[in-house]
C-alpha cells in the first residue's frame, strides 16, 4: 500500500532523511519509534506533501502511484491522512463546517456526490459519540481553545469520518493523559481492518500497549535502522535509544 | 455550512481575473454635455422638474465647491481627476419615471436579472423561501423602478426615488436634506450636493417597524459618467428599518467616479440598520480601470435612545474612501460599525468610521476586519471622540487585519479623543497572516488551496457577516471568495 523507497530529504540545505525505505501493507499497523531529531515528523510531513521540504532522491508510492508530484489535497483524496502532532486552530470556522467541507471536497475529487445533510449529521454524531466528544464541541471553532487531548480526539474523529486507506499518526500520544490515550487508541483500533494501513509514529512505548503494532521500525539519523515485531518496542523501553544513535553515527 | 460549500463552488467556477458584473448594457441614453458649470446644475435640476429652493440649494453647493480643493490626507494615490471631463447626468431614454415594471425598458430588467437582483415582484412572490425585499434600482443617474410601494404605503412607509420624494413629499425632504451632511461638509459631499441626480428616500412613520427589508441597487453603466446618488432615510420616533444597498459597474479601462452621500436620521427610540455590499469594478490585475469611490455616509442619532448601525462588506472599487459615521446626539443613543474591507490586486482602501459622542451615556461599538491580498493597500481609519457634555460615553473598538501574501499592506490609524473624564474607550487591534501551516492543514484534509483560503477568511470575518441580513450574508460570503480569487500561490 505505502512504499517509501530510498527517500532523501533536505530542508534549507540540511539533510534530514538519508535513504529511508519503509513499506506498509494493507491491514498492517506499523510503528516508527525513534529519538528526538531522528526525522520522524519530517517523514510524516513529506509524505503528506508539506511545501518546505526538498526531496532530492527516492519515491513515495501509494497503491503503486508516485505521489511526490501531487498537491496535499490530491494526496488526501487518494486516501492519505495525517493526524497532526500539533493540530491547527481555525478561528471562526465551526468544527462541523470544517468536517463537512473536508468530506465533501474529498468526495468531489473522487467523483462522488455530496453527502446529504442527514447522512452527514448521522455520521458525525456516531463518530463523536464513539470518541466521547461532546456534541456542543462540534459547534465551536475547530481546535480553538481545545485542550491537547480534545485536539487529538478531534484528529481521530476526522480520520474516522474520512476513512483514509493509509493513516499516519504523528506522536498522537503526546500531551495525552492515560484516559485520553485509551480513548484515542480505541478509536484507532476500531478502524483496523484488512484494507486499511496505519503508520504510528511515537517516541514512547506506552501508546503501543494500546495500539498493538504488527511491525516496529526504529528510526535514527533519517533512516530505518532496525525492523521487527512488537518485541522491539519493549527492548527500547528497557535500553533506550543510545545503541541506535551510536550505530547510525 | 451550506454557504461555505457555495463559496467554495463559486470560486471553482470562476476564471481568474473575471469580474462577473463587468458587462455593458446597450441602451439608449440621454447624456448631459461633459463638464461642470452652473448651467449643468440648472440642467440637472430642470430635468428633475425641481422646485426653486432645491435649485438654489444646489447652486449654493456648487459655488462653495468651486472654492474647495480635493483632500489629500488619505493613504490612497491616484492621478488628478479632471472634473470637466465627466458627464454629470446620464439617463436611460425610455424611462422618465416609470409607473410600474411594465414601463421599464426590458433591456434594463435583463441587466438587473444578470446581476441576480430580484427586481420582479412576481419572482419574489413565487419564491416560497425567499423573504420579501423591496427594491429601488438606480441606473446611472435615475431611479429605474421601486417595488412593493403599495404594500409599504399601507403601513405609511415611504420608499421611493429621492427625485420623486422632492415632488411628492417636499416638506419631509426639505426638513431633513443636508441636515446630517451639510452642503459645506467636504469636497465630494459638496460636489454631490450640487449635482446629485437620484437615489433613494425612505421615511418610516412613528412606531412603525418596516415590514420588509428595503434595498437599493446602484449600477453605473455609461462611459465617463460620475454617479452621484443621494440617499436620505428617516426613522421617526420608535420606528425601525433595515436597509441594504448593493453596487456594481461594468468593466472599463478608464476610471469611473462615484461620490455618493447617505444621510440617516433616527429620532427618539428609532433604529436604523444600514448594510452595504459594495462590489464596484476594482480594475484589472494590472491596476487599470476601476471605480473611484468617494462616499460620505453619516447617521444622526438625533433622538434619545436611538440606534444606528452600519454594516459593510467592501470588495470592489479601485479606490475606496469612506467612513460611515454616527453622531450620537440623543441621550443614551448608540452607534455600531461592522466592516469587512477586502482588497486584492492593486486596490486601495482607506476606510473606517467616526463615532462622535455628544450626548450623555452614549455607546458605540466598532468591529472592523481588513483583508489585504495581492499588491493592495488596506487602511482602517477611525475616530472616536467624546464631547465634554458626553458623560458616561463608552466605546469598544476592535480592528483586525489579515494579510495574504507578502506584497500587500495593512494599516490601522485610530484617532481617540475624550474631553470628559467619565468616558471609557477601549481599542484592540491585531494583524495576522494566514499561516502556511493552517493552509497545509486544510489541504491535508482535502480542500484545495483556494477553498482553504476561503474557509479561513470566512472564519476571520464571521462576527461581521453575522450582522448582515441572512439573505445577503450568503451573497457576501460568495463575494469574499471571488474577491480573493488568485490571491495565493
Amino acid at each position: 500500500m505505502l512504499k517509501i523507497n530510498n527517500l532523501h530529504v533536505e530542508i534549507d540545505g540540511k539533510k534530514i532523511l538519508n535513504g529511508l525505505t519503509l513499506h506498509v501493507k494493507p491491514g498492517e499497523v506499523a510503528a516508527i519509534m525513534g529519538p528526538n531529531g531522528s526525522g520522524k515528523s519530517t517523514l510524516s510531513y513529506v509524505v503528506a506533501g508539506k511545501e518546505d521540504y526538498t526531496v532530492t532522491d527516492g519515491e513515495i508510492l501509494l497503491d503503486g502511484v508516485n505521489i511526490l508530484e501531487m498537491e496535499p489535497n490530491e494526496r488526501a483524496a487518494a486516501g492519505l491522512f495525517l493526524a497532526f502532532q500539533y493540530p491547527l486552530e481555525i478561528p471562526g470556522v465551526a468544527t462541523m463546517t470544517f468536517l463537512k467541507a473536508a468530506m465533501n471536497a474529498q468526495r468531489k475529487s473522487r467523483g462522488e456526490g455530496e453527502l446529504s445533510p442527514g447522512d452527514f449529521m448521522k455520521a458525525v454524531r456516531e463518530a463523536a459519540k464513539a470518541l466521547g466528544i461532546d456534541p456542543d464541541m462540534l459547534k465551536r471553532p475547530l481546535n480553538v481553545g481545545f485542550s491537547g487531548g480534545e485536539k487529538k480526539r478531534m484528529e481521530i474523529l476526522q480520520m474516522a469520518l474520512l476513512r483514509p486507506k493509509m493513516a499516519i499518526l504523528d506522536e498522537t500520544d503526546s500531551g495525552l493523559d492515560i484516559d485520553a490515550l485509551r480513548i484515542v487508541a480505541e478509536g484507532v483500533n476500531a478502524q483496523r481492518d484488512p484494507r486499511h494501513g496505519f503508520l504510528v509514529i511515537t517516541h514512547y512505548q506506552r501508546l503501543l500497549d494500546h495500539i498493538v503494532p504488527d511491525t516496529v521500525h526504529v528510526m535514527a539519523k533519517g533512516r530505518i535502522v532496525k525492523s521487527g515485531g512488537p518485541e522491539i518496542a519493549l527492548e527500547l523501553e528497557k535500553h533506550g535509544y543510545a545503541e541506535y544513535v551510536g550505530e547510525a553515527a | 455550512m451550506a454557504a461555505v460549500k457555495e463559496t467554495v463552488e463559486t470560486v471553482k467556477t470562476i476564471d481568474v481575473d473575471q469580474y462577473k458584473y463587468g458587462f455593458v448594457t446597450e441602451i439608449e441614453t440621454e447624456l448631459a454635455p461633459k463638464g461642470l458649470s452652473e448651467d449643468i446644475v440648472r440642467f440637472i435640476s430642470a430635468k428633475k422638474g425641481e422646485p426653486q429652493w432645491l435649485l438654489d440649494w444646489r447652486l449654493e453647493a456648487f459655488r462653495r465647491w468651486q472654492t474647495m480643493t480635493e483632500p489629500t490626507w488619505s493613504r490612497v494615490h491616484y492621478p488628478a481627476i479632471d472634473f470637466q471631463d465627466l458627464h454629470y447626468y446620464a439617463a436611460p431614454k425610455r424611462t422618465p419615471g416609470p409607473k410600474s415594471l411594465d414601463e421599464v425598458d426590458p433591456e434594463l430588467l435583463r441587466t438587473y436579472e444578470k446581476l441576480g437582483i430580484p427586481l420582479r415582484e412576481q419572482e419574489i412572490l413565487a419564491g416560497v423561501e425567499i423573504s420579501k425585499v423591496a427594491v429601488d434600482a438606480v441606473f446611472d443617474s435615475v431611479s429605474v423602478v421601486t417595488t412593493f410601494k403599495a404594500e409599504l404605503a399601507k403601513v405609511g412607509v415611504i420608499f421611493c426615488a429621492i427625485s420623486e420624494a422632492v415632488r411628492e413629499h417636499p416638506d419631509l425632504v426639505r426638513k431633513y436634506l443636508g441636515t446630517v451632511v451639510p452642503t459645506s461638509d467636504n469636497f465630494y459631499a459638496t460636489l454631490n450636493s450640487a449635482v446629485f441626480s437620484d437615489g433613494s428616500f425612505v421615511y418610516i412613520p412613528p412606531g412603525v417597524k418596516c415590514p420588509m427589508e428595503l434595498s437599493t441597487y446602484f449600477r453605473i453603466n455609461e462611459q465617463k459618467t460620475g454617479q452621484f446618488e443621494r440617499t436620505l432615510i428617516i426613522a421617526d420616533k420608535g420606528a425601525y428599518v433595515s436597509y441594504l444597498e448593493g453596487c456594481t459597474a461594468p468593466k472599463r479601462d478608464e476610471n469611473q467616479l462615484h461620490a455618493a452621500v447617505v444621510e440617516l436620521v433616527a429620532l427618539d427610540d428609532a433604529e436604523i440598520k444600514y448594510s452595504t455590499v459594495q462590489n464596484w469594478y476594482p480594475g484589472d490585475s494590472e491596476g487599470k480601470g476601476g471605480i473611484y469611490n468617494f462616499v460620505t455616509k453619516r447617521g444622526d442619532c438625533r433622538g434619545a435612545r436611538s440606534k444606528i448601525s452600519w454594516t459593510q462588506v467592501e470588495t470592489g472599487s479601485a479606490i475606496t474612501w469612506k467612513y460611515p459615521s454616527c453622531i450620537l446626539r440623543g441621550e443614551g443613543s448608540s452607534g455600531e460599525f461592522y466592516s469587512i474591507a477586502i482588497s486584492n490586486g492593486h486596490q486601495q482602501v482607506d476606510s473606517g468610521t467616526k463615532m462622535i459622542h455628544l450626548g450623555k451615556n452614549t455607546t458605540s461599538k466598532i468591529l472592523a476586519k481588513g483583508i489585504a491580498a495581492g499588491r493592495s493597500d488596506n487602511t482602517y481609519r477611525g475616530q472616536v471622540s467624546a464631547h465634554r457634555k458626553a458623560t458616561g460615553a463608552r466605546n469598544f473598538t476592535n480592528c483586525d487585519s489579515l494579510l495574504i501574501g507578502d506584497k500587500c499592506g495593512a494599516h490601522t490609524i485610530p484617532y481617540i479623543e475624550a474631553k470628559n473624564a467619565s468616558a471609557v474607550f477601549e481599542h484592540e487591534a491585531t494583524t495576522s497572516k494566514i499561516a502556511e501551516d493552517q493552509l497545509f492543514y486544510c489541504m491535508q484534509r482535502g480542500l484545495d488551496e483556494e477553498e482553504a483560503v476561503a474557509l479561513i477568511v470566512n472564519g476571520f470575518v464571521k462576527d461581521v457577516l453575522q450582522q448582515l441580513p441572512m439573505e445577503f450574508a450568503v451573497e457576501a460570503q460568495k463575494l469574499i471568495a471571488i474577491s480573493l480569487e488568485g490571491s495565493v500561490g
Side-chain angles (χ1 to χ4, degrees):
Chain A
M1 172 168 288
L2 179 68
K3 289 187 174 167
I4 302 169
N5 293 321
N6 188 34
L7 191 64
H8 289 261
V9 173
E10 293 179 0
I11 183 162
D12 301 329
K14 193 180 165 223
K15 291 205 78 171
I16 310 282
L17 300 183
N18 299 294
L20 182 137
T21 295
L22 177 73
H23 295 182
V24 182
K25 293 196 286 288
E28 180 181 342
V29 174
I32 292 187
M33 300 186 71
N36 291 330
S38 57
K40 301 192 299 288
S41 283
T42 296
L43 175 65
S44 66
Y45 283 147
V46 170
V47 175
K50 199 165 192 243
E51 262 183 9
D52 318 343
Y53 302 92
T54 312
V55 175
T56 54
D57 202 2
E59 59 180 7
I60 302 174
L61 306 173
L62 185 65
D63 285 340
V65 179
N66 193 346
I67 60 170
L68 276 177
E69 294 303 313
M70 287 161 73
E71 292 292 327
N73 53 306
E74 294 166 340
R75 299 182 194 201
L80 188 81
F81 181 88
L82 171 62
F84 282 59
Q85 182 178 2
Y86 303 108
L88 276 294
E89 299 182 359
I90 315 287
V93 178
T95 301
M96 206 68 123
T97 305
F98 184 85
L99 294 174
K100 196 171 183 191
M103 288 172 80
N104 281 330
Q106 294 205 13
R107 290 178 70 93
K108 196 164 144 196
S109 59
R110 290 195 296 263
E112 295 167 21
E114 289 193 354
L115 278 172
S116 75
D119 289 347
F120 168 74
M121 290 302 292
K122 191 162 169 264
V124 173
R125 277 206 205 100
E126 282 173 11
K129 198 176 168 202
L131 288 161
I133 292 170
D134 183 346
D136 277 349
M137 216 161 110
L138 300 171
K139 294 177 193 155
R140 287 163 53 191
L142 183 67
N143 291 331
V144 177
F146 289 12
S147 71
E150 286 170 335
K151 285 181 183 174
K152 295 296 172 71
R153 256 187 260 184
M154 212 47 93
E155 294 292 283
I156 304 303
L157 175 71
Q158 293 181 48
M159 181 172 81
L161 291 170
L162 294 168
R163 206 64 178 109
K165 279 187 216 160
M166 182 71 223
I168 303 173
L169 284 76
D170 188 6
E171 307 250 357
T172 296
D173 50 335
S174 69
L176 293 188
D177 62 31
I178 191 69
D179 292 332
L181 185 70
R182 195 173 38 76
I183 292 169
V184 165
E186 277 169 13
V188 175
N189 289 331
Q191 292 180 50
R192 288 176 81 156
D193 72 23
R195 288 176 297 119
H196 295 83
F198 293 87
L199 184 59
V200 180
I201 297 174
T202 183
H203 187 78
Y204 299 106
Q205 147 70 21
R206 64 168 192 163
L207 177 65
L208 305 182
D209 290 339
H210 299 275
I211 304 173
V212 180
D214 299 303
T215 51
V216 175
H217 305 272
V218 182
M219 186 166 172
K221 304 263 168 106
R223 289 192 299 135
I224 300 297
V225 292
K226 184 166 184 171
S227 299
E231 71 284 354
I232 294 182
L234 297 170
E235 276 172 38
L236 280 173
E237 185 75 356
K238 232 180 261 172
H239 305 297
Y241 290 107
E243 172 193 352
Y244 302 103
V245 175
E247 189 184 290
Chain B
M1 279 177 276
V4 170
K5 188 201 80 202
E6 264 181 71
T7 303
V8 162
E9 295 289 319
T10 311
V11 172
K12 287 209 145 175
T13 55
I14 290 172
D15 294 328
V16 174
D17 221 354
Q18 183 82 50
Y19 177 71
K20 184 176 158 194
Y21 306 105
F23 57 86
V24 175
T25 305
E26 293 301 334
I27 199 157
E28 265 197 284
T29 306
E30 184 175 16
L31 278 174
K34 269 186 190 174
L36 186 52
S37 63
E38 280 203 15
D39 286 346
I40 289 291
V41 175
R42 287 176 196 281
F43 171 88
I44 294 167
S45 187
K47 272 281 161 202
K48 301 278 174 192
E50 286 173 356
Q52 188 63 38
W53 69 264
L54 192 49
L55 175 61
D56 292 343
W57 193 82
R58 287 176 180 275
L59 288 170
E60 193 206 317
F62 176 69
R63 284 170 201 137
R64 190 180 279 270
W65 180 75
Q66 284 176 305
T67 67
M68 298 167 94
T69 49
E70 266 182 273
T72 53
W73 45 261
S74 62
R75 286 185 59 98
V76 294
H77 307 280
Y78 54 93
I81 298 169
D82 182 353
F83 288 93
Q84 296 303 333
D85 191 36
L86 288 175
H87 294 288
Y88 287 84
Y89 183 81
K93 250 188 185 159
R94 284 187 46 200
T95 57
K99 295 282 179 291
S100 73
L101 280 166
D102 299 337
E103 289 180 33
V104 176
D105 188 322
E107 190 61 29
L108 268 179
L109 289 178
R110 272 194 289 278
T111 299
Y112 283 100
E113 207 173 298
K114 272 198 233 179
L115 295 169
I117 297 164
L119 203 60
R120 289 198 160 271
E121 296 181 25
Q122 57 268 43
E123 281 181 14
I124 300 168
L125 292 167
V128 183
E129 288 175 42
I130 304 169
S131 65
K132 278 193 287 181
V133 178
V135 177
D136 180 25
V138 177
F139 194 86
D140 287 334
S141 302
V142 297
S143 172
V144 180
V145 66
T146 310
T147 63
F148 283 116
K149 271 165 91 167
E151 195 166 335
L152 290 166
K154 272 185 223 158
V155 288
V157 171
I158 303 168
F159 179 37
C160 64
I162 199 159
S163 52
E164 187 185 328
V166 169
R167 289 192 303 271
E168 309 288 329
H169 312 283
D171 296 345
L172 277 175
V173 176
R174 201 168 177 179
K175 183 171 174 190
Y176 291 105
L177 185 73
T179 62
V180 186
V181 180
T183 52
S184 58
D185 194 78
N186 72 72
F187 184 82
Y188 298 107
T190 305
L191 175 63
N192 174 288
S193 300
V195 300
F196 79 87
S197 34
D198 223 329
S200 301
F201 176 82
V202 176
Y203 173 76
I204 316 288
V208 172
K209 183 179 189 305
C210 187
M212 62 184 87
E213 300 275 345
L214 303 183
S215 174
T216 300
Y217 274 85
F218 295 102
R219 174 80 175 168
I220 303 179
N221 191 58
E222 229 11 76
Q223 271 181 327
K224 295 245 171 198
T225 306
Q227 188 173 39
F228 306 93
E229 85 269 1
R230 185 129 194 153
T231 299
L232 177 57
I233 299 177
I234 302 133
D236 214 317
K237 290 178 181 174
Y240 169 85
V241 63
S242 171
Y243 180 92
L244 183 123
E245 60 169 10
C247 327
T248 59
K251 267 168 113 156
R252 296 199 186 277
D253 285 346
E254 78 272 19
N255 299 98
Q256 287 169 288
L257 178 64
H258 176 248
V261 171
V262 175
E263 295 179 280
L264 311 182
V265 179
L267 302 182
D268 288 357
D269 300 297
E271 180 176 352
I272 302 174
K273 197 171 154 60
Y274 193 104
S275 312
T276 304
V277 176
Q278 185 264 107
N279 185 24
W280 295 118
Y281 177 52
D284 67 11
S285 55
E286 303 299 314
K288 198 172 175 199
I291 302 284
Y292 289 167
N293 193 28
F294 299 100
V295 170
T296 304
K297 289 183 168 175
R298 195 172 302 153
D300 189 355
C301 285
R302 207 163 280 181
R305 299 166 303 278
S306 56
K307 183 175 173 184
I308 289 178
S309 112
W310 299 97
T311 304
Q312 56 172 25
V313 178
E314 303 273 320
T315 63
S317 299
I319 291 176
T320 301
W321 181 98
K322 66 178 272 198
Y323 315 89
S325 308
C326 295
I327 314 284
L328 301 166
R329 201 185 304 273
E331 191 173 330
S333 61
S334 65
E336 290 172 341
F337 176 75
Y338 300 101
S339 167
I340 299 170
I342 299 181
S343 54
N344 197 356
H346 290 256
Q347 285 176 271
Q348 302 175 58
V349 177
D350 192 309
S351 181
T353 185
K354 286 191 270 187
M355 292 292 171
I356 312 296
H357 294 256
L358 301 179
K360 279 180 193 162
N361 299 320
T362 47
T363 57
S364 60
K365 183 176 172 187
I366 297 169
L367 189 54
K369 305 270 185 179
I371 299 160
R375 294 174 176 275
S376 66
D377 226 347
N378 202 321
T379 301
Y380 167 82
R381 188 185 300 274
Q383 180 184 1
V384 178
S385 72
H387 191 262
R388 66 186 167 76
K389 285 181 186 161
T391 51
R394 292 185 76 94
N395 166 268
F396 174 76
T397 298
N398 179 292
C399 304
D400 296 326
S401 307
L402 187 67
L403 300 170
I404 302 175
D406 53 11
K407 294 185 179 66
C408 51
H411 318 272
T412 300
I413 308 174
Y415 304 83
I416 299 167
E417 191 183 35
K419 288 197 179 131
N420 77 73
S422 66
V424 179
F425 292 168
E426 292 172 73
H427 183 97
E428 289 176 0
T430 66
T431 300
S432 53
K433 208 172 169 260
I434 287 194
E436 294 290 329
D437 287 350
Q438 274 179 326
L439 280 181
F440 173 62
Y441 184 78
C442 294
M443 290 175 76
Q444 206 300 305
R445 299 300 187 245
L447 277 68
D448 69 30
E449 194 161 26
E450 279 175 350
E451 291 168 345
V453 169
L455 188 76
I456 293 168
V457 169
N458 274 320
F460 175 74
V461 300
K462 193 178 160 219
D463 310 352
V464 176
L465 278 185
Q466 282 172 340
Q467 300 296 329
L468 282 175
M470 247 270 279
E471 47 281 69
F472 302 112
V474 176
E475 186 186 346
Q477 206 167 25
K478 284 189 214 165
L479 198 56
I480 290 165
I482 295 163
S483 310
L484 292 169
E485 179 82 357
S487 63
V488 285

